[in-house]
Amino acid sequence: MNQGFGHELPQRHAQQDHRQVSRYLVVIASSAGPVAKLFLDSREQVGEFDAGTEEVAVMTRNATSSLGAAEPEWDKALAGHSAGERAAAMVYLLDL
């Protein structure tokens, strides 16, 4: 009978770097309904989900918001959206 004796030990776990903290939450209209998009400080998108979820309500509860994402820094991040959708978007600044 083999009880596992003589098997080599697994390698040490290599800790990977964690991704940065999301800084912006943009709620914007889409053809399938409003979506929430998470962005880093660099405006790199790191997540997208339905804006009707409970998580969006929790994240935006104490966040400061502004109307519109028509500024040039959002051009690349929201390139697939029309000017009207971008103007009506809500941009939330998330706490760190």
Side-chain angles (χ1 to χ4, degrees), residues 9-60:
L9 293 172
Q11 295 180 352
R12 293 187 62 83
H13 178 73
Q15 181 65 38
Q16 297 180 355
D17 292 334
H18 296 285
R19 73 173 171 87
Q20 297 173 353
V21 175
S22 298
R23 186 73 169 139
Y24 299 100
L25 175 75
V26 177
V27 177
I28 191 165
S30 160
S31 60
V35 294
K37 297 183 177 205
L38 286 171
F39 294 94
L40 300 177
D41 268 334
S42 63
R43 305 300 198 282
E44 176 187 349
Q45 185 175 336
V46 292
E48 179 175 331
F49 46 94
D50 181 16
T53 62
E54 182 180 352
E55 288 82 4
V56 172
V58 171
M59 284 190 279
T60 59

